[in-house]
Amino acid sequence: MSAASVERPHDERPLIAEANRLMDRLPGYRVEIIGGRILASPPPDGPHARALTTLMLPFVTAGPHGGGTEVLRGVGLWLPTDPEDYAIPDPVVVDSDVDDHLVENNCYDPVCFRLVLEVTSSNWKNDLKTKVAAYAAAKVPVHVVVDRKHQRVHVLTDPVGDEYVTHRFHSPGQLVTLPDSIGAKVTLDVTEVLRAGRPRTGG
């Protein structure tokens, strides 16, 4: 178990203070600090939110929520990449003792994260490059990206340094069973998830 940092006032954390000011000025935006840079993502559109709901269902059905793990949304992940770095993934699977691992600024030690999920938005390059490297550096064991830009699902495992040794791409028509280490047997239907993330056309 790693020791949590001592919380310091935000005025001693200039980037965090600015990130929190941005959140106040931009309600609904997801504001993160990765690589010493503030990233602000607009609120999710309908297809993005629909993809998240579709993703959550297999986790709820498989039952990792309860017992030793929990499925949560909007939880901050403290990153080792820079002194003020943190990310706010889409759904995550964390150990049930997550509350014991609070670091600061409502962010938690990566040691309690078993999986992080991201659904790409307009700033998809951040999701496919910047965040992948950050989550690998944080040693998050399983990272899943729903890549709406290229219509595939990435499953990344075995983090070493700032990259994942194992990176598998899955296309429509495939079923993806995630590693048992997340606490349950979860299978994703790639077609279903990607379809949910596409805009609906009027009939």
Side-chain angles (χ1 to χ4, degrees):
M1 180 186 295
S2 59
S5 304
V6 175
E7 186 167 349
R8 288 185 274 181
H10 291 154
D11 57 5
E12 294 180 24
R13 295 278 206 178
L15 280 178
I16 286 178
E18 180 57 30
N20 290 339
R21 281 193 290 270
L22 269 177
M23 283 191 290
D24 289 340
R25 291 200 300 265
L26 301 170
Y29 272 65
R30 178 167 55 171
V31 180
E32 304 162 293
I33 303 173
I34 301 178
R37 293 175 49 239
I38 295 176
L39 305 176
S41 304
D45 58 15
H48 184 284
R50 198 175 295 120
L52 286 178
T53 299
T54 302
L55 271 172
M56 291 289 284
L57 292 175
F59 286 90
V60 172
T61 303
H65 191 86
T69 57
E70 295 184 73
V71 183
L72 304 176
R73 288 185 62 183
V75 173
L77 168 61
W78 196 255
L79 295 169
T81 45
D82 215 64
E84 297 181 77
D85 278 9
Y86 69 89
I88 305 173
D90 287 323
V92 298
V93 176
V94 293
D95 292 334
S96 56
D97 66 349
V98 61
D99 293 353
D100 297 334
H101 296 281
L102 180 65
V103 179
E104 65 176 282
N105 203 42
N106 294 327
C107 296
Y108 296 84
D109 192 313
V111 72
C112 64
F113 286 75
R114 296 194 185 192
L115 171 144
V116 295
L117 269 159
E118 294 284 358
V119 176
T120 60
S121 299
S122 55
N123 55 352
W124 55 271
K125 288 183 181 178
N126 284 332
D127 293 319
L128 295 177
K129 293 183 180 178
T130 307
K131 285 192 173 183
V132 167
Y135 293 146
K139 300 294 181 282
V140 176
V142 183
H143 178 31
V144 176
V145 183
V146 177
D147 182 357
R148 296 194 295 159
K149 172 72 174 178
H150 304 101
Q151 288 295 289
R152 57 192 180 187
V153 171
H154 305 248
V155 178
L156 303 100
T157 56
D158 308 312
V160 174
D162 62 354
E163 60 185 27
Y164 284 92
V165 173
T166 305
H167 185 168
R168 294 191 170 91
F169 304 89
H170 302 276
S171 302
Q174 293 183 298
L175 298 176
V176 182
T177 300
L178 300 178
D180 291 341
S181 60
I182 67 172
K185 190 168 288 295
V186 176
T187 300
L188 305 178
D189 183 325
V190 176
T191 300
E192 186 178 305
V193 171
L194 291 173
R195 182 187 296 128
R198 289 196 290 265
R200 292 177 178 170
T201 56

